[in-house]
Structures are given as structure tokens and as C-alpha cells.
Amino acid sequence: MPLSASTAGESHGPALVITISGLPAGLHLDTDFINHELRRRQGGYGRGGRQNIEQDTVEYLTGVRRGITIGSPLTLVIRNNDSRLDDQARTPPVFRPRPGHADLAGSIKFLTTDCRDVLERASARETASRVAAGAVARCLLRELGIEAFGFVRTILGIGTDINVNEQTWRAVLAARDQSDTYCPDPEATLRQRAAIHEAKLNKDTAGGLVEAHIFGCPPGLGSCMDWRDKLDARLAYAVMGIQAIKSVEIGLGKEVASRPGSRVHDPIRYDPALRETHPCLGFTRDTNNAGGTEGGMTNGQPVVVRAAMKPISTLGQGMPSIDLNTMQPHQSAYERSDICAVSAASVVLENVAAFEVARALRDKFAGDSMTELRAQYHAFLDFARSLPLDPPSATIA
Ligand code: EPS
């Protein structure tokens, strides 16, 4: 059974529900860690009043016994404190679609003039589910020494050009956790705060750039044999599926179009000292412009994903729109909302990217239990370390 996660639940319904299939038995679920990631997603300067109401934590409904998976589908529930979907007075119909939100396209698609029916599910509240799924996947990845790290690069163009790599990332993480915009640069954080505050005064909103790095991946996750199995393609699909994301980049991203090949491709070196001790198996690179994937497979370098989040589409000042009851021009609807959720998006990106790496890992290393998965993982690394073979052209049968 491949690893997969489905989510259900409306923003102001009773709960969010996440079902994860394909987890091996014997995985310890670190509930404190999962709830910690949910709490981080709720934070960041510029969030709206909703986050004062919610206290996102997971409850397990199925698939777990005494904190350990048993191989059956795992169902998680996150209760909504602000549950009021059927309360007409507190959750009235929305007839004036917001440019940038799902309101207009969804209302036409589902043949309704009440955008509420659409926006409740389109809402970024759903990202709590995807963080929970990613955090569960990270419990598995951590058992194999694979770690994920995400942060905010820029908000409204203000940010950091800090270099993140295997040596620096833990220090960068500590700096990120000191920042209430999740940007690992104190000076940039202050300027981002000021820009978000100004957007608030102007009844406007702010987007930004978020980045995630996954460390400790062995070579060969994903596949070049079918485009659907390419890890970079799956990352792009999953990350583009995060609310408000408008572009996804791997490694150098769109900058590859502006450089000659000699300044894009990462020279290959071999360091025998790392052969036994590092999942790169000794194959090192001078740079990581490829963002850890070549041919849709991990190459032993950190996986690097970047995504651009558009500004929140609920503007205090409204935007030119149409009243769907009268078809007359009207400013778009305003409801309580965030001014900036880029910090939250960095947490979502980190966990969504980790989920895709875990999915590719399960495709390569199956097994019903953690014991089998671990054995398959280490057997593969041992086979790979036995290269070159004798005779040199042989492959391991
Ligand atoms: C959202 C609107 C706001 C955000 C929400 C996304 O919700 P509300 O209408 O309840 O104030 O707070 O995000 C979350 C609830 C969350 O947990 O991230 C939207 O319209 O997309």
C-alpha cells in the first residue's frame, strides 16, 4: 500500500479529519512533536483573530495502539473551536466573491451564488491537516535520520539571503525560532513586521517566499522511469496544492535559465570518509543547485524546495467585484482574516515536502513493519556501498 493522506473538513465545521494509509506497523507517533508543528503553523506575525480561538492538537481515531501504529489506516482529528457552519447568523451567505479566492470559480462550478459553500473547504484552515500528515511522516523519516527544516525567505520582498546547508541548518533553525516571522535574520524580521503592520493599516495583505530543506536523504528516492514517480514532480504537485501558492522551485529554480551549464550543474566528487557514515555514500558536490534531485531522484544532497505565496485574498479595503445576486458591481466581501500567513506557509511547506519524501521512501522501501522497512533501507545502502562491482560493468542481480 503506497503512503497517502486524504483530508476532509470545513473551516467552520466541527473538525478536520486526516486519513493516512500505507504507514508500517511499529512506528512511534511523537504526539508532542505533531502538536508542536500544529502550534507553529498557528503562529507568525500578521495572523488574524481566528488563531486566538483555535488550539490545534491531534486526536487519534484509528490505526494506533498505545502510541504505536499497527499497520491499519491512521485517522487523526483536529477539532475546530470556532465551529458554526450551520449557524446562519454567525456564518451568513457570501454573495460578493473575493478576487484571488476560490469564491467565484467555485460558485460557478457548484452552481450556487453563496460562496460560503465553496470557501469553507477552500480555506487555508485545511493546511492544519496537511501539517499533521507531514508531521506523522516525519516521525518515520526521523527513524532513518532524515530531517526537514523550513523558514521564511522574504515577505513583501524583504528578507534574507542566508545560506542553508547541512552544516548551518541547526543554527539557522535556532535563529528562525527567535523570529516571529520565522525568518532567521533579526534585522529582516523587524523590517518584515513593519511591512506587515503597514499592510494592516492600509487594509491590505502581504505574501512572500518560503523555503524547505530535507536533510539525510539517501540517493535513489523517486524514479526517472515514469514521470509520475519523479520526486521533484511530486514535490511540485504537492506544494502547488497548498493554498495561495503560485510558484514552486527546486534548488536554483528559475535562475537555471540565466546561467551556462558549467554554472548550474553540481560537480561530482568522491570522499571515501563519508562512504560508511553518510547517506550520500561518499558522493559529494561542490554546490547544490539541483536542490538534491537529478532525473527526479534524490542524489544524496539535501532536497531544497521554494514556494511563492500570494497575499491573502481577503482585503479589508475589498477589491472590485460583482454581487452574484444582482450582478451589479460591488466591493468584495470582508470577513475577519489574516494580513500575512507566510510564516504559517513555511511550516506547511516543510511538512508537505517531508510527506512527499516519505512517500517516495515507502515506494522504495516497503514492508509491513518498521523492522522490515529499516532492514530494507540498510540493505540498500550496503548494496550501494558495494559498488564498484567486479566485473565493473555488472549490476547487483
Ligand atoms: C481563511 C480565513 C480565516 C483564516 C483561515 C483561512 O479564517 P476565519 O474566517 O475563521 O477568520 O484564519 O485560516 C485558518 C483558520 C487557519 O487555521 O489557518 C481563508 O479564507 O482561507
Side-chain angles (χ1 to χ4, degrees):
M1 167 71 78
L3 184 65
S4 69
S6 65
T7 71
E10 283 67 41
S11 180
H12 303 97
L16 305 172
V17 181
I18 306 105
T19 305
I20 307 176
S21 304
L23 288 170
L27 175 65
H28 290 256
L29 296 177
D30 184 344
T31 309
D32 289 344
F33 169 69
I34 297 166
N35 288 339
H36 177 257
E37 289 303 286
L38 289 174
R39 203 157 43 247
R40 283 207 310 121
R41 192 205 69 90
Q42 290 197 265
Y45 187 74
R47 302 303 304 272
R50 178 76 184 270
Q51 300 314 321
N52 301 327
I53 302 170
E54 301 301 338
Q55 287 189 318
D56 296 344
T57 52
V58 286
E59 287 167 43
Y60 304 113
L61 273 197
T62 71
V64 63
R65 181 164 177 246
R66 297 178 186 159
I68 300 173
T69 58
I70 54 172
S72 55
L74 178 71
T75 309
L76 311 174
V77 173
I78 301 169
R79 307 248 171 227
N80 287 327
N81 288 335
D82 198 12
S83 169
R84 52 181 158 92
L85 198 52
D86 292 334
D87 184 333
Q88 171 84 4
R90 293 177 62 225
T91 315
V94 175
F95 297 123
R96 293 174 274 132
R98 294 160 291 178
H101 212 285
D103 299 352
L104 178 64
S107 294
I108 297 169
K109 176 176 171 64
F110 291 99
L111 299 178
T112 174
T113 55
D114 181 1
C115 307
R116 171 81 54 199
D117 288 341
V118 174
L119 68 87
E120 281 290 331
R121 180 64 187 152
S123 163
R125 175 98 190 112
E126 191 261 355
T127 59
S129 305
R130 299 191 71 197
V131 167
V136 166
R138 288 169 73 183
C139 294
L140 189 157
L141 292 175
R142 284 174 152 193
E143 299 239 355
L144 304 174
I146 300 172
E147 295 277 359
F149 165 61
F151 67 100
V152 169
R153 266 267 170 227
T154 64
I155 291 174
L156 278 169
I158 302 162
T160 176
D161 55 8
I162 198 165
N163 182 26
V164 179
N165 58 42
E166 210 163 359
Q167 283 70 45
T168 63
W169 78 272
R170 287 186 193 275
V172 179
L173 182 151
R176 175 202 73 186
D177 287 347
Q178 295 299 311
S179 161
D180 60 5
T181 57
Y182 301 1
C183 178
D185 177 324
E187 193 266 337
T189 299
L190 288 176
R191 292 173 54 222
Q192 289 170 343
R193 280 183 61 115
I196 295 166
H197 186 66
E198 192 182 334
K200 182 177 181 176
L201 295 179
N202 294 334
K203 297 187 184 315
D204 217 325
T205 55
L209 212 50
V210 290
E211 191 169 303
H213 296 240
I214 318 263
F215 297 98
C217 298
L221 302 184
S223 180
C224 58
M225 298 304 172
D226 187 305
W227 65 268
R228 289 164 294 195
D229 293 334
K230 289 181 180 226
L231 180 62
D232 47 3
R234 286 184 176 184
L235 283 167
Y237 185 7
V239 172
M240 194 57 104
I242 300 170
Q243 285 77 346
I245 297 301
K246 291 303 262 186
S247 85
V248 185
E249 294 185 310
I250 308 287
L252 206 53
K254 65 179 185 306
E255 173 69 18
V256 297
S258 317
R259 296 189 187 186
S262 56
R263 291 188 47 237
V264 169
H265 304 302
D266 307 309
I268 302 175
R269 315 273 179 204
Y270 185 66
D271 178 355
L274 297 177
R275 179 189 173 99
E276 300 295 330
T277 57
H278 194 282
C280 75
L281 305 170
F283 295 99
T284 64
R285 303 300 180 101
D286 298 353
T287 50
N288 186 21
N289 292 334
T293 69
E294 288 168 316
M297 295 164 288
T298 50
N299 61 7
Q301 302 305 305
V303 172
V304 182
V305 194
R306 206 173 309 103
M309 181 189 199
K310 67 186 178 186
I312 299 287
S313 46
T314 312
L315 272 64
Q317 59 180 279
M319 290 274 291
S321 184
I322 299 290
D323 186 314
L324 295 179
N325 280 331
T326 63
M327 296 300 169
Q328 294 302 307
H330 208 298
Q331 284 296 93
S332 57
Y334 175 73
E335 280 188 0
R336 175 191 67 194
S337 186
D338 302 315
I339 306 297
C340 178
V342 177
S343 312
S346 73
V347 182
V348 183
L349 172 70
E350 169 178 338
N351 284 286
V352 163
F355 189 89
E356 289 307 312
V357 169
R359 191 152 83 94
L361 186 121
R362 281 296 277 159
D363 287 350
K364 183 155 177 58
F365 308 112
D368 293 309
S369 65
M370 278 306 292
T371 306
E372 287 170 88
L373 190 159
R374 253 186 241 106
Q376 288 184 28
Y377 174 79
H378 291 296
F380 166 71
L381 291 187
D382 286 343
F383 281 132
R385 284 190 196 102
S386 69
L387 299 170
L389 302 174
D390 186 24
S393 61
T395 53
I396 296 169

